[in-house]
Amino acid sequence: MKTHATLLLSAITALTAMNASASSHREAPNVTRLPAIDSTDFYAFRSYETDREDYVTLVANYIPLQDAYGGPNYFAMDPNALYEIHIDNDGDAVEDITFQFRFQQMLREGSGFALPIGEGENLKSVAIPLKNFGNVDTDGSANFYETYSIKKVSGDRRTGSAISLTDGSGEATFTKPLDNIGEKSFTDYEAYAGGFVHDLTIPGCDAGGKVFVGQRKDPFVVNLGKTFDLVNYVPLDGDGSAQDDANDDLADKNVTSIALEVPISCVTGSGNGVIGAWTSASQQQARILNPEASFAKPEVNGGAWTQVSRLGMPLVNEVVIGLSDKDTFNASEPKDDGQFADYVTHPTLPALLDILFRDALGASDNIAPSNIPRTDLVTAFLTGFPGVNQQSTVTASEMVRLNTIQAPTPAADQNAFGVVAGDLAGFPNGRRPGDDVVDIALRVVMGALCHPVDLDGDGNATDDLGLCEPADAPTGDQPFSDLAPIDSTYVSDTFPYLLAPLAGSVNPAP
């Protein structure tokens, strides 16, 4: 009994730690020390905005768990980091196209806005400590600016052919809005931020695209607090009545989004129309702190670019990869994912769930799937589904796979459970902001794909995928859930799709 109790406590602790990371918020020991390059979520989907169906939207979110009131410096991107979105269009798990983002920071008039303090011989001009000094969207009273540049690299991300992207006027420098400091600093933040959606000219493409980089409301939902409290809920929702917005502990958080819309024809190459995509962030190997730091030069960086953050499919590094390998995963590339195969074929999360919830589910035997190795998870996470989102050349690797031939589903008709609910334009065929990836992942891990699913969307789960048998997954047909709801109504139906960020302060009601 003592041994069993110790094992149970260990399992609770491990599961709590893994779930606390959300989709990819603070998911590995090293990246927790580097929040500005911590990727939180990655989305890739056929644009479902009206008249934009010929485009793919890619959204990479960074800087997790932003409190809207987090001043006075808020949440700038790292000017000494390289943020990238990669696309593999031939199935070899190697990038064929990379969009690279570099950021710059500057103060107003070079040294920042200053106020005259004192009189006569005691008069001095003194720099203010704030990033704005008035209403930004009416009189432009910004004291701090971020700009960025974008390069498209064809081939290897470091040695391939690179070319700069420009806006509609030929300018290669793009601007980023200030974070949403509050309603006194911004009369209409949404309208203000809308002015930073830039048209994009992409050399070699028949049509242009769009880009936006800026703060957004975190679109990810997760039941975080109760999970910390020794998983203080049973993760099942039989009739939907347990779903509650109060269970979303990220409801009051913002993130910073890199949103890119590009023509489908520019990213598909000569493959079968299925692309693999992921985001990463890199820093140079050497960082020497300036003992006399200044705004312009707090440090000196040099050496080769080294990847320190990586994200494709949601939840992989959180609830699949072992703690000892999480930083290794973040530093690796999809082509090398064979080193992590055991975590997918022999997953530990179902075993932990069995220890925690066998009694709660009234089961006398192990509730974890028994089909080891888990070929169903290999299909879901590493190869894609034949005829849905599998590339013509199959290389087992972790990335979001999107079939660009599959027509997008309008926002009003989207099903948050995606492919297994008959919405073939949803997760895991790409990932849209309104897809409930936590519930989907929980159900897949517990063996949902061993049972018939509803691929044709007629409301009847009669389609057998042939990956495993129902007997292999005794609870695979159960509605596992973290009880935090999400669907397409929680986000926008126009680019950049994520909602405006929460304000750092709100004016009192009249």
Side-chain angles (χ1 to χ4, degrees):
M1 289 296 292
K2 183 177 180 180
T3 300
H4 182 75
T6 301
L7 180 60
L8 177 60
L9 181 58
S10 298
I12 291 174
T13 302
L15 184 61
T16 299
M18 288 187 292
N19 274 307
S21 303
S23 180
S24 190
H25 301 57
R26 295 171 54 83
E27 79 287 351
N30 185 46
V31 82
T32 62
R33 298 188 286 267
L34 306 165
I37 50 84
D38 184 358
S39 53
T40 69
D41 284 283
F42 181 68
Y43 303 91
F45 54 95
R46 279 275 300 265
S47 301
Y48 52 88
E49 180 179 352
T50 303
D51 297 328
R52 303 296 289 185
E53 296 85 356
D54 293 333
Y55 292 80
V56 166
T57 295
L58 306 164
V59 181
N61 288 342
Y62 281 86
I63 315 180
L65 305 177
Q66 297 180 19
D67 290 317
Y69 51 80
N73 287 294
Y74 300 95
F75 307 95
M77 300 293 266
D78 187 347
N80 294 306
L82 181 63
Y83 300 84
E84 298 177 296
I85 294 175
H86 311 279
I87 296 172
D88 164 32
N89 55 32
D90 58 14
D92 62 358
V94 176
E95 68 274 3
D96 297 293
I97 299 171
T98 296
F99 294 97
Q100 295 180 340
F101 291 75
R102 293 293 310 274
F103 291 86
Q104 303 82 38
Q105 300 177 359
M106 62 198 73
L107 296 176
R108 188 183 185 96
E109 299 175 353
S111 57
F113 183 78
L115 287 174
I117 305 296
E119 296 180 354
E121 62 181 17
N122 291 319
L123 178 65
K124 292 186 177 182
S125 181
V126 182
I128 67 170
L130 306 176
K131 284 193 169 181
N132 70 307
F133 51 91
N135 189 285
V136 178
D137 58 348
T138 58
D139 57 22
S141 298
N143 192 35
F144 173 88
Y145 300 90
E146 283 183 276
T147 63
Y148 59 97
S149 59
I150 313 170
K151 287 186 178 180
K152 177 190 174 188
V153 181
S154 300
D156 183 270
R157 65 179 81 176
R158 299 292 173 259
T159 62
S161 175
I163 189 167
S164 295
L165 276 57
T166 61
D167 66 11
S169 65
E171 176 61 51
T173 299
F174 302 85
T175 52
K176 174 180 175 290
L178 279 179
D179 292 344
N180 193 357
I181 297 169
E183 292 184 356
K184 187 174 183 179
S185 295
F186 295 97
T187 304
D188 186 343
Y189 187 87
E190 188 167 5
Y192 160 77
F196 295 84
V197 175
H198 303 282
D199 291 328
L200 198 60
T201 298
I202 308 173
C205 292
D206 295 333
K210 293 181 182 179
V211 65
F212 170 84
V213 178
Q215 193 179 48
R216 298 280 91 185
K217 165 71 182 69
D218 194 334
F220 190 67
V221 300
V222 64
N223 191 347
L224 201 58
K226 290 184 178 179
T227 303
F228 269 124
D229 187 21
L230 303 181
V231 193
N232 193 16
Y233 62 94
V234 176
L236 284 173
D237 183 27
D239 58 7
S241 61
Q243 297 289 320
D244 192 332
D245 289 331
N247 292 327
D248 175 19
D249 292 323
L250 300 185
D252 61 349
K253 304 299 181 184
N254 293 326
V255 291
T256 299
S257 298
I258 300 174
L260 188 64
E261 187 183 66
V262 297
I264 292 173
S265 59
C266 289
V267 296
T268 49
S270 57
N272 65 348
V274 177
I275 61 173
W278 68 100
T279 185
S280 70
S282 300
Q283 295 179 320
Q284 290 178 285
Q285 287 180 322
R287 173 169 292 186
I288 302 174
L289 300 179
N290 183 357
E292 299 180 356
S294 65
F295 176 87
K297 198 171 185 178
E299 60 196 30
V300 176
N301 292 265
W305 288 110
T306 302
Q307 182 178 298
V308 290
S309 179
R310 166 192 172 188
L311 177 60
M313 292 279 277
L315 302 167
V316 170
N317 205 6
E318 292 67 39
V319 299
V320 178
I321 305 299
L323 182 61
S324 61
D325 282 330
K326 289 183 181 295
D327 289 322
T328 304
F329 180 85
N330 267 353
S332 68
E333 299 179 25
K335 64 182 177 62
D336 299 319
D337 281 348
Q339 63 186 309
F340 307 114
D342 287 350
Y343 290 120
V344 179
T345 60
H346 296 66
T348 57
L349 179 59
L352 297 174
L353 289 172
D354 171 65
I355 295 171
L356 288 169
F357 300 112
R358 184 190 299 184
D359 292 342
L361 296 178
S364 58
D365 296 321
N366 196 325
I367 66 172
S370 59
N371 55 310
I372 303 296
R374 293 289 301 275
T375 55
D376 55 324
L377 297 187
V378 171
T379 300
F381 291 108
L382 301 182
T383 67
F385 293 86
V388 178
N389 68 333
Q390 190 174 95
Q391 294 173 289
S392 53
T393 297
V394 181
T395 304
S397 52
E398 195 283 298
M399 61 181 77
V400 174
R401 290 175 170 84
L402 171 66
N403 185 343
T404 63
I405 297 174
Q406 175 65 46
T409 303
D413 299 324
Q414 290 178 15
N415 190 304
F417 288 92
V419 170
V420 296
D423 184 356
L424 298 183
F427 184 78
N429 179 23
R431 180 188 176 189
R432 302 169 302 199
D435 290 336
D436 195 342
V437 296
V438 173
D439 285 9
I440 296 171
L442 276 173
R443 297 176 190 190
V444 169
V445 164
M446 293 306 292
L449 302 184
C450 296
H451 294 258
V453 296
D454 179 18
L455 288 181
D456 54 15
D458 64 358
N460 298 311
T462 57
D463 299 296
D464 186 357
L465 299 179
L467 297 171
C468 41
E469 299 296 328
D472 296 328
T475 60
D477 59 349
Q478 296 301 303
F480 284 92
S481 173
D482 74 333
L483 312 182
I486 187 173
D487 57 43
S488 61
T489 65
Y490 285 66
V491 292
S492 174
D493 59 1
T494 59
F495 184 84
Y497 295 96
L498 309 188
L499 299 180
L502 302 173
S505 79
V506 179
N507 290 333

PDB file of all heavy atoms in Angstrom, residues 354-385:
ATOM      1  N   ASP A 354      -4.361   6.217 -15.920  1.00  0.00           N
ATOM      2  CA  ASP A 354      -4.902   4.991 -15.329  1.00  0.00           C
ATOM      3  C   ASP A 354      -4.734   5.001 -13.808  1.00  0.00           C
ATOM      4  O   ASP A 354      -5.667   4.690 -13.058  1.00  0.00           O
ATOM      5  CB  ASP A 354      -4.209   3.772 -15.928  1.00  0.00           C
ATOM      6  CG  ASP A 354      -4.576   2.495 -15.184  1.00  0.00           C
ATOM      7  OD1 ASP A 354      -5.762   2.116 -15.225  1.00  0.00           O
ATOM      8  OD2 ASP A 354      -3.671   1.896 -14.555  1.00  0.00           O
ATOM      9  N   ILE A 355      -3.547   5.366 -13.345  1.00  0.00           N
ATOM     10  CA  ILE A 355      -3.295   5.394 -11.903  1.00  0.00           C
ATOM     11  C   ILE A 355      -4.215   6.392 -11.209  1.00  0.00           C
ATOM     12  O   ILE A 355      -4.767   6.130 -10.137  1.00  0.00           O
ATOM     13  CB  ILE A 355      -1.818   5.742 -11.632  1.00  0.00           C
ATOM     14  CG1 ILE A 355      -0.906   4.630 -12.153  1.00  0.00           C
ATOM     15  CG2 ILE A 355      -1.570   5.989 -10.157  1.00  0.00           C
ATOM     16  CD1 ILE A 355       0.566   4.987 -12.134  1.00  0.00           C
ATOM     17  N   LEU A 356      -4.431   7.534 -11.861  1.00  0.00           N
ATOM     18  CA  LEU A 356      -5.223   8.588 -11.234  1.00  0.00           C
ATOM     19  C   LEU A 356      -6.716   8.319 -11.254  1.00  0.00           C
ATOM     20  O   LEU A 356      -7.428   8.654 -10.293  1.00  0.00           O
ATOM     21  CB  LEU A 356      -4.939   9.918 -11.934  1.00  0.00           C
ATOM     22  CG  LEU A 356      -3.581  10.559 -11.681  1.00  0.00           C
ATOM     23  CD1 LEU A 356      -3.346  11.703 -12.646  1.00  0.00           C
ATOM     24  CD2 LEU A 356      -3.485  11.040 -10.244  1.00  0.00           C
ATOM     25  N   PHE A 357      -7.227   7.724 -12.336  1.00  0.00           N
ATOM     26  CA  PHE A 357      -8.669   7.741 -12.549  1.00  0.00           C
ATOM     27  C   PHE A 357      -9.315   6.383 -12.775  1.00  0.00           C
ATOM     28  O   PHE A 357     -10.490   6.317 -13.108  1.00  0.00           O
ATOM     29  CB  PHE A 357      -9.003   8.671 -13.728  1.00  0.00           C
ATOM     30  CG  PHE A 357      -8.573  10.082 -13.500  1.00  0.00           C
ATOM     31  CD1 PHE A 357      -7.550  10.648 -14.239  1.00  0.00           C
ATOM     32  CD2 PHE A 357      -9.179  10.849 -12.516  1.00  0.00           C
ATOM     33  CE1 PHE A 357      -7.136  11.952 -14.004  1.00  0.00           C
ATOM     34  CE2 PHE A 357      -8.781  12.154 -12.282  1.00  0.00           C
ATOM     35  CZ  PHE A 357      -7.758  12.706 -13.023  1.00  0.00           C
ATOM     36  N   ARG A 358      -8.577   5.304 -12.584  1.00  0.00           N
ATOM     37  CA  ARG A 358      -9.211   3.989 -12.765  1.00  0.00           C
ATOM     38  C   ARG A 358     -10.407   3.845 -11.825  1.00  0.00           C
ATOM     39  O   ARG A 358     -11.497   3.427 -12.232  1.00  0.00           O
ATOM     40  CB  ARG A 358      -8.209   2.865 -12.528  1.00  0.00           C
ATOM     41  CG  ARG A 358      -8.801   1.483 -12.802  1.00  0.00           C
ATOM     42  CD  ARG A 358      -7.881   0.373 -12.344  1.00  0.00           C
ATOM     43  NE  ARG A 358      -6.593   0.408 -13.027  1.00  0.00           N
ATOM     44  CZ  ARG A 358      -5.653  -0.517 -12.853  1.00  0.00           C
ATOM     45  NH1 ARG A 358      -5.862  -1.540 -12.020  1.00  0.00           N
ATOM     46  NH2 ARG A 358      -4.494  -0.436 -13.492  1.00  0.00           N
ATOM     47  N   ASP A 359     -10.222   4.190 -10.567  1.00  0.00           N
ATOM     48  CA  ASP A 359     -11.312   4.054  -9.598  1.00  0.00           C
ATOM     49  C   ASP A 359     -12.447   5.020  -9.906  1.00  0.00           C
ATOM     50  O   ASP A 359     -13.630   4.674  -9.804  1.00  0.00           O
ATOM     51  CB  ASP A 359     -10.790   4.299  -8.180  1.00  0.00           C
ATOM     52  CG  ASP A 359      -9.845   3.206  -7.711  1.00  0.00           C
ATOM     53  OD1 ASP A 359      -9.855   2.116  -8.308  1.00  0.00           O
ATOM     54  OD2 ASP A 359      -9.085   3.469  -6.755  1.00  0.00           O
ATOM     55  N   ALA A 360     -12.106   6.244 -10.286  1.00  0.00           N
ATOM     56  CA  ALA A 360     -13.138   7.245 -10.576  1.00  0.00           C
ATOM     57  C   ALA A 360     -14.011   6.823 -11.751  1.00  0.00           C
ATOM     58  O   ALA A 360     -15.199   7.167 -11.810  1.00  0.00           O
ATOM     59  CB  ALA A 360     -12.488   8.598 -10.859  1.00  0.00           C
ATOM     60  N   LEU A 361     -13.438   6.081 -12.683  1.00  0.00           N
ATOM     61  CA  LEU A 361     -14.191   5.621 -13.843  1.00  0.00           C
ATOM     62  C   LEU A 361     -14.881   4.287 -13.579  1.00  0.00           C
ATOM     63  O   LEU A 361     -15.541   3.746 -14.469  1.00  0.00           O
ATOM     64  CB  LEU A 361     -13.257   5.492 -15.055  1.00  0.00           C
ATOM     65  CG  LEU A 361     -12.630   6.796 -15.552  1.00  0.00           C
ATOM     66  CD1 LEU A 361     -11.695   6.530 -16.715  1.00  0.00           C
ATOM     67  CD2 LEU A 361     -13.702   7.788 -15.961  1.00  0.00           C
ATOM     68  N   GLY A 362     -14.704   3.761 -12.392  1.00  0.00           N
ATOM     69  CA  GLY A 362     -15.357   2.519 -12.046  1.00  0.00           C
ATOM     70  C   GLY A 362     -14.805   1.310 -12.765  1.00  0.00           C
ATOM     71  O   GLY A 362     -15.517   0.318 -12.978  1.00  0.00           O
ATOM     72  N   ALA A 363     -13.546   1.375 -13.163  1.00  0.00           N
ATOM     73  CA  ALA A 363     -12.935   0.277 -13.905  1.00  0.00           C
ATOM     74  C   ALA A 363     -12.165  -0.634 -12.961  1.00  0.00           C
ATOM     75  O   ALA A 363     -11.536  -0.180 -11.999  1.00  0.00           O
ATOM     76  CB  ALA A 363     -12.002   0.825 -14.982  1.00  0.00           C
ATOM     77  N   SER A 364     -12.204  -1.911 -13.248  1.00  0.00           N
ATOM     78  CA  SER A 364     -11.464  -2.871 -12.430  1.00  0.00           C
ATOM     79  C   SER A 364     -10.106  -3.190 -13.028  1.00  0.00           C
ATOM     80  O   SER A 364      -9.207  -3.658 -12.325  1.00  0.00           O
ATOM     81  CB  SER A 364     -12.268  -4.164 -12.282  1.00  0.00           C
ATOM     82  OG  SER A 364     -12.559  -4.717 -13.561  1.00  0.00           O
ATOM     83  N   ASP A 365      -9.953  -2.941 -14.325  1.00  0.00           N
ATOM     84  CA  ASP A 365      -8.692  -3.218 -15.007  1.00  0.00           C
ATOM     85  C   ASP A 365      -8.087  -1.918 -15.522  1.00  0.00           C
ATOM     86  O   ASP A 365      -8.697  -0.845 -15.481  1.00  0.00           O
ATOM     87  CB  ASP A 365      -8.917  -4.193 -16.166  1.00  0.00           C
ATOM     88  CG  ASP A 365      -9.399  -5.552 -15.689  1.00  0.00           C
ATOM     89  OD1 ASP A 365      -8.898  -6.003 -14.650  1.00  0.00           O
ATOM     90  OD2 ASP A 365     -10.274  -6.134 -16.354  1.00  0.00           O
ATOM     91  N   ASN A 366      -6.898  -2.038 -16.076  1.00  0.00           N
ATOM     92  CA  ASN A 366      -6.165  -0.899 -16.626  1.00  0.00           C
ATOM     93  C   ASN A 366      -6.993  -0.197 -17.703  1.00  0.00           C
ATOM     94  O   ASN A 366      -7.509  -0.846 -18.618  1.00  0.00           O
ATOM     95  CB  ASN A 366      -4.847  -1.398 -17.228  1.00  0.00           C
ATOM     96  CG  ASN A 366      -3.855  -0.280 -17.466  1.00  0.00           C
ATOM     97  OD1 ASN A 366      -4.233   0.833 -17.820  1.00  0.00           O
ATOM     98  ND2 ASN A 366      -2.579  -0.580 -17.280  1.00  0.00           N
ATOM     99  N   ILE A 367      -7.150   1.123 -17.580  1.00  0.00           N
ATOM    100  CA  ILE A 367      -7.932   1.871 -18.575  1.00  0.00           C
ATOM    101  C   ILE A 367      -7.063   2.395 -19.706  1.00  0.00           C
ATOM    102  O   ILE A 367      -7.569   2.952 -20.676  1.00  0.00           O
ATOM    103  CB  ILE A 367      -8.689   3.046 -17.925  1.00  0.00           C
ATOM    104  CG1 ILE A 367      -7.710   4.103 -17.394  1.00  0.00           C
ATOM    105  CG2 ILE A 367      -9.611   2.556 -16.826  1.00  0.00           C
ATOM    106  CD1 ILE A 367      -8.381   5.375 -16.908  1.00  0.00           C
ATOM    107  N   ALA A 368      -5.742   2.241 -19.615  1.00  0.00           N
ATOM    108  CA  ALA A 368      -4.849   2.705 -20.670  1.00  0.00           C
ATOM    109  C   ALA A 368      -4.917   1.759 -21.862  1.00  0.00           C
ATOM    110  O   ALA A 368      -5.083   0.548 -21.697  1.00  0.00           O
ATOM    111  CB  ALA A 368      -3.420   2.795 -20.152  1.00  0.00           C
ATOM    112  N   PRO A 369      -4.808   2.261 -23.086  1.00  0.00           N
ATOM    113  CA  PRO A 369      -4.792   1.385 -24.258  1.00  0.00           C
ATOM    114  C   PRO A 369      -3.663   0.363 -24.177  1.00  0.00           C
ATOM    115  O   PRO A 369      -2.572   0.655 -23.680  1.00  0.00           O
ATOM    116  CB  PRO A 369      -4.587   2.359 -25.417  1.00  0.00           C
ATOM    117  CG  PRO A 369      -5.150   3.652 -24.919  1.00  0.00           C
ATOM    118  CD  PRO A 369      -4.794   3.682 -23.465  1.00  0.00           C
ATOM    119  N   SER A 370      -3.928  -0.819 -24.701  1.00  0.00           N
ATOM    120  CA  SER A 370      -2.957  -1.907 -24.615  1.00  0.00           C
ATOM    121  C   SER A 370      -2.250  -2.190 -25.922  1.00  0.00           C
ATOM    122  O   SER A 370      -1.403  -3.085 -25.992  1.00  0.00           O
ATOM    123  CB  SER A 370      -3.667  -3.189 -24.140  1.00  0.00           C
ATOM    124  OG  SER A 370      -4.711  -3.538 -25.040  1.00  0.00           O
ATOM    125  N   ASN A 371      -2.583  -1.480 -26.979  1.00  0.00           N
ATOM    126  CA  ASN A 371      -1.950  -1.731 -28.285  1.00  0.00           C
ATOM    127  C   ASN A 371      -0.577  -1.069 -28.343  1.00  0.00           C
ATOM    128  O   ASN A 371      -0.398   0.021 -28.872  1.00  0.00           O
ATOM    129  CB  ASN A 371      -2.838  -1.220 -29.430  1.00  0.00           C
ATOM    130  CG  ASN A 371      -3.223   0.239 -29.289  1.00  0.00           C
ATOM    131  OD1 ASN A 371      -3.689   0.668 -28.235  1.00  0.00           O
ATOM    132  ND2 ASN A 371      -3.036   1.010 -30.348  1.00  0.00           N
ATOM    133  N   ILE A 372       0.385  -1.757 -27.768  1.00  0.00           N
ATOM    134  CA  ILE A 372       1.767  -1.283 -27.751  1.00  0.00           C
ATOM    135  C   ILE A 372       2.556  -2.079 -28.774  1.00  0.00           C
ATOM    136  O   ILE A 372       2.518  -3.305 -28.750  1.00  0.00           O
ATOM    137  CB  ILE A 372       2.392  -1.455 -26.356  1.00  0.00           C
ATOM    138  CG1 ILE A 372       1.563  -0.712 -25.290  1.00  0.00           C
ATOM    139  CG2 ILE A 372       3.836  -0.949 -26.338  1.00  0.00           C
ATOM    140  CD1 ILE A 372       1.504   0.774 -25.431  1.00  0.00           C
ATOM    141  N   PRO A 373       3.273  -1.445 -29.695  1.00  0.00           N
ATOM    142  CA  PRO A 373       3.462  -0.001 -29.859  1.00  0.00           C
ATOM    143  C   PRO A 373       2.210   0.699 -30.387  1.00  0.00           C
ATOM    144  O   PRO A 373       1.434   0.093 -31.124  1.00  0.00           O
ATOM    145  CB  PRO A 373       4.618   0.087 -30.863  1.00  0.00           C
ATOM    146  CG  PRO A 373       4.507  -1.173 -31.663  1.00  0.00           C
ATOM    147  CD  PRO A 373       4.044  -2.222 -30.696  1.00  0.00           C
ATOM    148  N   ARG A 374       2.043   1.975 -30.029  1.00  0.00           N
ATOM    149  CA  ARG A 374       0.854   2.743 -30.356  1.00  0.00           C
ATOM    150  C   ARG A 374       0.934   3.298 -31.777  1.00  0.00           C
ATOM    151  O   ARG A 374       1.243   4.473 -32.011  1.00  0.00           O
ATOM    152  CB  ARG A 374       0.667   3.882 -29.347  1.00  0.00           C
ATOM    153  CG  ARG A 374       0.334   3.448 -27.928  1.00  0.00           C
ATOM    154  CD  ARG A 374      -1.086   2.886 -27.813  1.00  0.00           C
ATOM    155  NE  ARG A 374      -2.097   3.857 -28.210  1.00  0.00           N
ATOM    156  CZ  ARG A 374      -2.619   4.790 -27.403  1.00  0.00           C
ATOM    157  NH1 ARG A 374      -2.207   4.877 -26.141  1.00  0.00           N
ATOM    158  NH2 ARG A 374      -3.553   5.611 -27.837  1.00  0.00           N
ATOM    159  N   THR A 375       0.617   2.454 -32.751  1.00  0.00           N
ATOM    160  CA  THR A 375       0.640   2.904 -34.144  1.00  0.00           C
ATOM    161  C   THR A 375      -0.416   3.967 -34.407  1.00  0.00           C
ATOM    162  O   THR A 375      -0.281   4.770 -35.334  1.00  0.00           O
ATOM    163  CB  THR A 375       0.422   1.715 -35.090  1.00  0.00           C
ATOM    164  OG1 THR A 375      -0.800   1.041 -34.730  1.00  0.00           O
ATOM    165  CG2 THR A 375       1.584   0.737 -35.007  1.00  0.00           C
ATOM    166  N   ASP A 376      -1.472   3.989 -33.589  1.00  0.00           N
ATOM    167  CA  ASP A 376      -2.486   5.021 -33.761  1.00  0.00           C
ATOM    168  C   ASP A 376      -1.921   6.399 -33.440  1.00  0.00           C
ATOM    169  O   ASP A 376      -2.228   7.398 -34.113  1.00  0.00           O
ATOM    170  CB  ASP A 376      -3.720   4.729 -32.907  1.00  0.00           C
ATOM    171  CG  ASP A 376      -3.393   4.533 -31.427  1.00  0.00           C
ATOM    172  OD1 ASP A 376      -2.326   3.961 -31.113  1.00  0.00           O
ATOM    173  OD2 ASP A 376      -4.208   4.952 -30.569  1.00  0.00           O
ATOM    174  N   LEU A 377      -1.063   6.482 -32.410  1.00  0.00           N
ATOM    175  CA  LEU A 377      -0.443   7.762 -32.071  1.00  0.00           C
ATOM    176  C   LEU A 377       0.623   8.152 -33.078  1.00  0.00           C
ATOM    177  O   LEU A 377       0.818   9.342 -33.359  1.00  0.00           O
ATOM    178  CB  LEU A 377       0.160   7.701 -30.662  1.00  0.00           C
ATOM    179  CG  LEU A 377      -0.814   7.467 -29.507  1.00  0.00           C
ATOM    180  CD1 LEU A 377      -0.099   7.614 -28.170  1.00  0.00           C
ATOM    181  CD2 LEU A 377      -2.002   8.410 -29.584  1.00  0.00           C
ATOM    182  N   VAL A 378       1.326   7.173 -33.611  1.00  0.00           N
ATOM    183  CA  VAL A 378       2.302   7.460 -34.664  1.00  0.00           C
ATOM    184  C   VAL A 378       1.604   8.124 -35.848  1.00  0.00           C
ATOM    185  O   VAL A 378       2.074   9.120 -36.409  1.00  0.00           O
ATOM    186  CB  VAL A 378       3.023   6.171 -35.110  1.00  0.00           C
ATOM    187  CG1 VAL A 378       3.873   6.436 -36.353  1.00  0.00           C
ATOM    188  CG2 VAL A 378       3.898   5.631 -33.984  1.00  0.00           C
ATOM    189  N   THR A 379       0.434   7.591 -36.217  1.00  0.00           N
ATOM    190  CA  THR A 379      -0.333   8.172 -37.322  1.00  0.00           C
ATOM    191  C   THR A 379      -0.791   9.584 -36.983  1.00  0.00           C
ATOM    192  O   THR A 379      -0.666  10.506 -37.798  1.00  0.00           O
ATOM    193  CB  THR A 379      -1.552   7.293 -37.644  1.00  0.00           C
ATOM    194  OG1 THR A 379      -1.108   5.989 -38.024  1.00  0.00           O
ATOM    195  CG2 THR A 379      -2.366   7.889 -38.789  1.00  0.00           C
ATOM    196  N   ALA A 380      -1.324   9.755 -35.782  1.00  0.00           N
ATOM    197  CA  ALA A 380      -1.889  11.057 -35.401  1.00  0.00           C
ATOM    198  C   ALA A 380      -0.830  12.138 -35.282  1.00  0.00           C
ATOM    199  O   ALA A 380      -1.040  13.280 -35.703  1.00  0.00           O
ATOM    200  CB  ALA A 380      -2.652  10.924 -34.085  1.00  0.00           C
ATOM    201  N   PHE A 381       0.345  11.788 -34.721  1.00  0.00           N
ATOM    202  CA  PHE A 381       1.335  12.802 -34.391  1.00  0.00           C
ATOM    203  C   PHE A 381       2.544  12.839 -35.330  1.00  0.00           C
ATOM    204  O   PHE A 381       3.194  13.880 -35.439  1.00  0.00           O
ATOM    205  CB  PHE A 381       1.834  12.607 -32.958  1.00  0.00           C
ATOM    206  CG  PHE A 381       0.816  12.916 -31.908  1.00  0.00           C
ATOM    207  CD1 PHE A 381       0.228  11.909 -31.164  1.00  0.00           C
ATOM    208  CD2 PHE A 381       0.420  14.219 -31.663  1.00  0.00           C
ATOM    209  CE1 PHE A 381      -0.725  12.189 -30.202  1.00  0.00           C
ATOM    210  CE2 PHE A 381      -0.529  14.523 -30.707  1.00  0.00           C
ATOM    211  CZ  PHE A 381      -1.110  13.500 -29.969  1.00  0.00           C
ATOM    212  N   LEU A 382       2.853  11.733 -36.001  1.00  0.00           N
ATOM    213  CA  LEU A 382       4.129  11.669 -36.713  1.00  0.00           C
ATOM    214  C   LEU A 382       4.041  11.449 -38.209  1.00  0.00           C
ATOM    215  O   LEU A 382       4.989  11.754 -38.940  1.00  0.00           O
ATOM    216  CB  LEU A 382       5.005  10.553 -36.111  1.00  0.00           C
ATOM    217  CG  LEU A 382       5.343  10.676 -34.623  1.00  0.00           C
ATOM    218  CD1 LEU A 382       6.248   9.531 -34.193  1.00  0.00           C
ATOM    219  CD2 LEU A 382       5.999  12.013 -34.318  1.00  0.00           C
ATOM    220  N   THR A 383       2.939  10.908 -38.734  1.00  0.00           N
ATOM    221  CA  THR A 383       2.872  10.629 -40.175  1.00  0.00           C
ATOM    222  C   THR A 383       1.681  11.269 -40.861  1.00  0.00           C
ATOM    223  O   THR A 383       1.695  11.461 -42.068  1.00  0.00           O
ATOM    224  CB  THR A 383       2.831   9.111 -40.442  1.00  0.00           C
ATOM    225  OG1 THR A 383       1.590   8.574 -39.958  1.00  0.00           O
ATOM    226  CG2 THR A 383       4.010   8.402 -39.780  1.00  0.00           C
ATOM    227  N   GLY A 384       0.635  11.579 -40.112  1.00  0.00           N
ATOM    228  CA  GLY A 384      -0.589  12.052 -40.726  1.00  0.00           C
ATOM    229  C   GLY A 384      -1.435  10.890 -41.213  1.00  0.00           C
ATOM    230  O   GLY A 384      -0.974   9.746 -41.312  1.00  0.00           O
ATOM    231  N   PHE A 385      -2.694  11.179 -41.527  1.00  0.00           N
ATOM    232  CA  PHE A 385      -3.648  10.156 -41.942  1.00  0.00           C
ATOM    233  C   PHE A 385      -3.697  10.055 -43.469  1.00  0.00           C
ATOM    234  O   PHE A 385      -3.852  11.073 -44.159  1.00  0.00           O
ATOM    235  CB  PHE A 385      -5.049  10.489 -41.421  1.00  0.00           C
ATOM    236  CG  PHE A 385      -5.171  10.425 -39.931  1.00  0.00           C
ATOM    237  CD1 PHE A 385      -4.846  11.518 -39.145  1.00  0.00           C
ATOM    238  CD2 PHE A 385      -5.601   9.268 -39.306  1.00  0.00           C
ATOM    239  CE1 PHE A 385      -4.952  11.467 -37.765  1.00  0.00           C
ATOM    240  CE2 PHE A 385      -5.710   9.202 -37.920  1.00  0.00           C
ATOM    241  CZ  PHE A 385      -5.389  10.307 -37.149  1.00  0.00           C
TER     242      PHE A 385
END
